[in-house]
Each structure stands twice: as C-alpha cells, then as structure tokens.
C-alpha cells in the first residue's frame, strides 16, 4: 500500500469514528457562590499532500489553520463584575506548517512556547475588560475576519497549509526560501501582556495592549498595539464584521510597524459572503487577500460551505518580489457531533528579481475539526 493511500485511509477511518461518536462538550461545574469551571478543546487532524513541482509528499498532520488544543475557564462573579482565569495549551502535534521536504517532524514535541493562554481577566459591563498574563495581543485575529464558514480549511493565513516546505528552483534544487517566508499576514500574536478592551459601543470595541515574548528564551521582543473591531448581525439581511489594527514591534533594536485590516459581509438569505484583508509593514512587505463564500443547508446534518480565495503579496522577502496563492475549499458541518469535515486545495507561486526561477507548489488538506 502506498504512503498516500495509507494516509487517506487513516484520515477516512478517523473521520468515520468521529461521526459515529456522540457529541459532548466540556462540562461546567458550579459552586454555591456562583463560581464555575469549564474545560474545552479541539482535535483537528488532516491528511496533507504537497507537490513542490519536483516531488510529492504525503503526511498526517495537525491543521495549522486551527491546531489541536485543550484548556479551561474559571469564573467567579462579584456583583455585576466577573473575575475569569483562562488556561489553554496547544497539544503540539505535528503541524501542517511545521513539516518540509527534509523533515516530517515529531508526532508531538511540547515546549513552553505552546502555552496559548495563562490569562487573568476582570470583566466589567461599565468600564470594559482588563487582562494580564499570556494571551492574545489586541491585534491578534485582526486579519482573520471571515463569514464564509470555511475558515478552518482556508483563510488569510494561506501559508498554514504548507508553510514549512521549501520552494524548488527550475533546476530541481531546493532553495532556502520557505512557503511561510513569502506568504505573511502580519497578524497580531500572543504574548505575556497587559490588555484593555472597551465596552461595546454600537457594535464597536477598542482594545490596546503591551506585551513581551516571555516564552522564548532570549527573545528580547517587545510589542504594543491598538485595534478597532466592529460586528453587527442585524443590518437587515446582512451581517457585517471588521477589524483594523496597528502593531509596533521592537526586536533586539529592530523596529517595525504593521498596519493590518480585514472585513467581511454575509447576505443571510442567499448565504453569499465576501471577505477581504490586507497588511503593510513599514520596513517592507504588503499584501491583499479576497475570498468569496457560499453557505447552504444542503443536507440535514448541518450547513455546507464553499469558498474560493486569492492572495497577492509583494516585497515580503526581497524588493520587487511577488507571491500569489489561489485556493478552493469545502466544509461540511455535523451539528450533533460538533464536527466540521473539510477538504481544501491551494496553489503557491513566487518570483523575485534574482536569476532564480521558482517552481509552483500545491497543497491539499483533508480532515476534520472536532470541538469538545
């Protein structure tokens, strides 16, 4: 049996087992004084196929678009205010953007940098939310506003499907340039930070944060950012959402400023949606991204969504370079099982001003995300 056949067979077997299993969510335990504990998580395993123009590679991976994780919430109300603590860690399974032609990676390799949230939050309806600890900076997610229903399989982070693979030149040699190098988003990050989120004002919220990379040894990285978010689900037949953020980073004396934004609109009667995103780094690099989606209730188990998207970037590795990606995706929800099964195909192309000609690459992801 070929490696590809084994990988596809294993993915199909895993999906069948998940569909047969009953859905369950992490239970919530409450105390007499109103406190609560709730745990949650997700598994998002997939078959990955990658063609670099010279050779094919087939692996079982964790989907880098939304990796497997587990966590819990502790909450305690104090009058109209609530104190919350969140812990969340990646399961650090072999990721779709962490393998390449020379290295298929360890099945799991947890390090402290896989801690996503160790976060204390004070929620107040009048004055907003105050947070301290490891968690999302204000700009985190500002490029990912998406109402298509296919975000688990295809989104602005087009490199997540195969970000670790090296580009191959026309002579068949691997270059030192990875897919992840040339398809950036400049999206916000998670840091050890202090953060403030304002109350909701007619759908608008403002947030700001200051943080440092406390999980990477000798990182010497400081960041601060500000973001404006908007969401309205009641604009007649439309749902609209958007985000705009500016992030400043000082990494060992090298300063950068990233300006990022995304927006999406969904026409609820037809299920048609349009998403767009862009990013610009003051020291070089910019991109634009657009996505058209369609969602319908074709079968009784849950919504079916389709999308097509396009990414166009320049100056991301060197002056006058060009990075383009085209993708299509389909996602089927299974509401009772809290499951989304998906398949996505993506093409990558890159050119620069050097004498090197780079071959196009293509990736396939087929898997399922199960939330519990």
């Amino acid at each position: 049996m070929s490696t590809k056949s084994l990988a596809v067979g294993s993915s199909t077997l895993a999906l069948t087992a998940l569909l047969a299993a009953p859905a369950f969510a992490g239970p919530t335990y409450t105390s007499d004084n109103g406190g609560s504990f709730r745990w949650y998580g997700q598994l998002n395993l997939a078959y990955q196929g990658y063609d670099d123009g010279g050779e094919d590679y087939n692996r079982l991976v964790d989907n880098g678009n939304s990796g497997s994780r587990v966590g819990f919430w502790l909450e305690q109300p104090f009058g109209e205010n609530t104190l919350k603590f969140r812990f969340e860690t990646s399961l650090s399974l072999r990721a779709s953007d962490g393998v390449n032609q020379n290295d298929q990676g360890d099945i799991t390799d947890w390090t402290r940098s896989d801690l996503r949230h160790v976060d204390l939050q004070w929620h107040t309806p009048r004055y907003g939310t105050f947070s301290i600890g490891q968690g999302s900076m204000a700009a985190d997610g500002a490029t990912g506003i998406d109402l298509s229903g296919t975000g688990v399989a295809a989104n602005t982070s087009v490199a997540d499907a195969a970000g670790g693979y090296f580009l191959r030149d026309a002579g068949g040699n691997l270059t030192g340039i990875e897919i992840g190098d040339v398809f950036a988003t400049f999206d916000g990050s998670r840091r050890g930070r202090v953060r403030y989120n304002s109350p909701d004002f007619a759908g608008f919220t403002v947030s700001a944060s200051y943080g440092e990379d406390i999980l990477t040894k000798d990182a010497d990285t400081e960041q601060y950012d500000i973001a404006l978010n908007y969401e309205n689900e009641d604009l007649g037949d439309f749902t609209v959402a958007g985000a705009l953020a500016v992030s400043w980073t000082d990494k060992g004396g090298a300063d950068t400023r990233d300006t990022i934004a995304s927006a999406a609109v969904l026409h609820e009667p037809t299920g048609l949606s349009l998403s767009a995103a862009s990013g610009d780094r003051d020291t070089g690099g910019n991109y634009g991204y657009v996505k058209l989606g369609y969602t319908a209730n074709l079968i009784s188990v849950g919504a079916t969504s389709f999308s097509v998207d396009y990414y166009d970037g320049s100056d991301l590795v060197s002056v006058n370079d060009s990075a383009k990606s085209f993708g299509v995706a389909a996602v089927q929800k299974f509401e009772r099982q809290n499951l989304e099964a998906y398949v996505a195909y993506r093409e990558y192309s890159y050119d620069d001003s050097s004498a090197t000609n780079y071959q196009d690459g293509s990736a396939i992801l087929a898997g399922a995300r199960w939330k519990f």
Side-chain angles (χ1 to χ4, degrees):
M1 180 179 293
S2 68
T3 303
K4 185 173 183 178
S5 298
L6 179 60
V8 174
S10 300
S11 298
T12 304
L13 180 61
L15 176 58
T16 302
L18 288 174
L19 289 175
F24 71 95
T28 298
Y29 302 96
T30 58
S31 63
D32 293 338
N33 60 0
S36 65
F37 169 86
R38 175 178 60 87
W39 62 274
Y40 65 91
Q42 66 179 42
L43 290 174
N44 193 2
L45 306 180
Y47 155 75
Q48 177 199 61
Y50 185 73
D51 179 357
D52 65 8
E55 295 187 32
D56 295 331
Y57 302 86
N58 304 281
R59 283 154 179 167
L60 291 176
V61 295
D62 197 42
N63 184 343
N65 284 310
S66 179
S68 299
R69 65 195 67 162
V70 66
F72 66 82
W73 281 97
L74 283 170
E75 301 185 17
Q76 179 61 56
F78 292 92
E80 66 177 5
N81 305 319
T82 304
L83 181 65
K84 299 183 179 182
F85 175 75
R86 182 183 186 184
F87 175 87
E88 181 181 296
T89 179
S90 166
L91 296 184
S92 190
L93 304 178
R94 180 171 56 209
S96 56
D97 58 350
V99 297
N100 58 46
Q101 291 93 334
N102 302 320
D103 186 7
Q104 67 176 358
D106 297 327
I107 294 177
T108 182
D109 183 22
W110 191 92
T111 66
R112 65 181 185 178
S113 61
D114 291 306
L115 290 172
R116 295 169 57 85
H117 296 277
V118 185
D119 191 16
L120 190 65
Q121 305 175 7
W122 180 245
H123 290 249
T124 71
R126 299 183 183 182
Y127 306 110
T129 300
F130 304 83
S131 306
I132 185 170
Q134 174 71 15
S136 292
M137 297 286 288
D140 190 18
T143 65
I145 304 299
D146 187 341
L147 300 173
S148 68
T150 65
V152 65
N155 55 50
T156 313
S157 300
V158 298
D160 286 348
Y165 285 94
F166 296 99
L167 296 172
R168 192 179 291 275
D169 65 23
N173 304 303
L174 295 179
T175 69
I177 301 177
E178 298 179 1
I179 292 293
D181 295 331
V182 298
F183 291 93
T185 67
F186 309 139
D187 196 46
S189 55
R190 289 182 298 276
R191 295 285 185 248
R193 86 299 187 238
V194 290
R195 172 173 172 169
Y196 170 72
N197 286 28
S198 75
D200 184 295
F201 297 103
F204 289 94
T205 58
V206 177
S207 54
S209 60
Y210 169 82
E212 299 182 9
D213 185 350
I214 61 175
L215 299 181
T216 304
K217 187 176 180 181
D218 300 325
D220 192 22
T221 300
E222 298 183 17
Q223 289 181 306
Y224 56 99
D225 57 13
I226 186 169
L228 175 67
N229 285 74
Y230 177 74
E231 184 175 4
N232 193 330
E233 298 179 354
D234 194 26
L235 283 175
D237 290 336
F238 294 90
T239 294
V240 177
L244 171 65
V246 182
S247 176
W248 294 265
T249 302
D250 179 358
K251 188 172 184 179
D255 298 335
T256 59
R257 184 190 70 242
D258 297 329
T259 304
I260 54 178
S262 64
V265 58
L266 168 66
H267 185 239
E268 295 172 4
T270 63
L272 290 172
S273 65
L274 179 66
S275 307
S278 66
D280 179 85
R281 176 163 287 176
D282 66 333
T283 57
N286 59 83
Y287 73 91
Y289 172 86
V290 65
K291 181 180 189 181
L292 180 65
Y294 172 68
T295 298
N297 294 310
L298 302 180
I299 56 178
S300 61
V301 297
T304 307
S305 299
F306 306 93
S307 69
V308 56
D309 65 33
Y310 180 72
Y311 174 107
D312 189 347
S314 60
D315 302 328
L316 293 166
V317 174
S318 60
V319 176
N320 296 325
D321 69 2
S322 174
K324 302 180 186 298
S325 179
F326 167 80
V328 293
V331 177
Q332 176 62 56
K333 289 188 176 181
F334 296 85
E335 296 289 351
R336 189 176 71 86
Q337 289 83 9
N338 295 332
L339 183 76
E340 297 163 280
Y342 56 83
V343 60
Y345 172 79
R346 182 164 300 284
E347 294 182 349
Y348 302 99
S349 65
Y350 177 73
D351 293 296
D352 62 19
S353 57
S354 72
T356 303
N357 292 317
Y358 302 92
Q359 299 192 54
D360 294 345
S362 62
I364 295 174
L365 279 184
R369 177 172 66 179
W370 176 47
K371 291 186 176 182
F372 55 89

